[in-house]
Amino acid sequence: MKTFLIGLFVISFINLGYSQVTDDKKEVALKSVTVTTLNKNYLDRVQDLTMSIYVKELENSVSNYDITRVPGFDGRDKPFKAVFKSQKGNIVATFDSKGKILTTLEKFKNVKLPDPVLALVFKDNPNWGMLSDSYLVVYNCDKPVKKIYKVQIVKGDLKKRIRIDFNGDRLVVANSEKLIFD
């Protein structure tokens, strides 16, 4: 019985292996495809590896949006505004007549801050806790992108507001103020 089962097992594998052999070889020519995104420049300038997934998802939605299919879009040479919203924030985008993003104003609240931003905040403020944060992006296709993090931290009865500008790879504490709870 043991020999019979082993033989059956070997025959089944030989049968499966043989069924995969085929002499029908057809050559298929594929056309070369170039994938371009009309708003790739926008994504390249506003996104980086450290940002929150909520921010990336909404920015990707904006860049992939086809404004030419919107009812009310007439295709004239005038800017067309659209508002995109999510749980964590919103983006107001201005498109040209071809669908290219000209400007955006992006506001997000209580998203995960990148590690370099957190390190900068808590380097000078040990033992403080995070109260709230917001992230603001101002994009203009003809100007440098402005990225600003606003953070509120708390320690006992003290509260601090810190603003951090993100310029390329450099973080700068723009201002901070100390407030006392009433």
Side-chain angles (χ1 to χ4, degrees), residues 38 65-75 80 95-100:
L38 180 61
Y65 191 69
D66 187 359
I67 196 75
T68 61
R69 296 186 180 190
V70 173
F73 181 78
D74 56 10
F80 193 88
F95 295 85
D96 70 4
S97 61
K98 294 178 181 79
K100 178 184 174 190

Side-chain angles (χ1 to χ4, degrees), residues 130-176:
M130 180 77 68
L131 189 60
S132 67
D133 66 78
S134 61
Y135 176 55
L136 174 71
V137 179
V138 179
Y139 169 81
N140 185 320
C141 63
D142 299 326
K143 296 179 182 176
V145 177
K146 293 181 184 178
K147 299 179 184 180
I148 300 167
Y149 296 94
K150 294 180 180 179
V151 181
Q152 288 186 353
I153 56 176
V154 65
K155 180 178 180 182
D157 291 341
L158 298 175
K159 179 170 87 170
K160 261 190 196 181
R161 292 183 186 148
I162 302 172
R163 179 181 151 177
I164 300 170
D165 291 336
F166 181 80
N167 300 321
D169 294 332
R170 201 182 80 209
L171 294 169
V172 179
V173 176
N175 64 6
S176 65

Side-chain angles (χ1 to χ4, degrees), residues 55-68:
V55 175
K56 284 182 183 180
E57 285 176 352
L58 195 56
E59 288 175 341
N60 287 338
S61 296
V62 172
S63 74
N64 292 324
Y65 191 69
D66 187 359
I67 196 75
T68 61

Side-chain angles (χ1 to χ4, degrees), residues 40-94:
K40 184 179 182 323
N41 185 39
Y42 162 73
L43 284 181
D44 289 344
R45 292 181 57 202
V46 298
Q47 286 188 351
D48 59 63
L49 297 175
T50 63
M51 69 179 23
S52 168
I53 189 71
Y54 295 106
V55 175
K56 284 182 183 180
E57 285 176 352
L58 195 56
E59 288 175 341
N60 287 338
S61 296
V62 172
S63 74
N64 292 324
Y65 191 69
D66 187 359
I67 196 75
T68 61
R69 296 186 180 190
V70 173
F73 181 78
D74 56 10
R76 288 192 253 159
D77 263 347
K78 65 176 185 173
F80 193 88
K81 284 193 179 184
V83 178
F84 301 84
K85 294 183 178 185
S86 73
Q87 286 179 299
K88 298 279 187 171
N90 62 56
I91 298 176
V92 178
T94 306

